[in-house]
Amino acid sequence: FFQLGFPGETREEMRATAALARRLDLDSAQFCAATPYPGTPLAAALSTEEGLRARDARSAPRGNGILTPREIDAEIRRAYRS
């Protein structure tokens, strides 16, 4: 299980994570977008640092300040193809 798109994570870092998954020779791998669900440490960190106030998963912000949600999704699709 690999999460991509953490705050500040670059495209190159996401691709390095996918490369690591390949090198580990796993039977399977799952790639997901990092999402700051309310009540998680990631949501707490973002709410203090950036003033985010997501009340539920539907309103949790996406994107990471570097890449858009669409670009992160494209990197996830790329990770599955690699």
Side-chain angles (χ1 to χ4, degrees):
F1 178 78
F2 299 89
Q3 291 186 333
L4 304 176
F6 279 96
E9 186 176 18
T10 66
R11 185 180 318 271
E12 292 75 25
E13 290 168 326
M14 288 182 219
R15 290 179 181 179
T17 299
L20 170 65
R22 283 191 306 277
R23 286 193 312 275
L24 291 175
D25 194 30
L26 303 170
D27 290 332
S28 66
Q30 180 177 353
F31 299 93
C32 301
T35 304
Y37 289 107
T40 63
L42 180 57
L46 289 174
S47 68
T48 2
E49 291 175 16
E50 300 178 18
L52 301 175
R53 299 284 184 263
R55 298 199 188 287
D56 61 42
R58 290 182 305 269
S59 63
R62 294 215 41 234
N64 69 356
I66 294 177
L67 301 172
T68 66
R70 181 173 285 183
E71 291 170 317
I72 292 170
D73 289 343
E75 288 303 316
I76 290 170
R77 287 190 302 277
R78 179 186 171 94
Y80 277 115
R81 289 191 306 266
S82 61

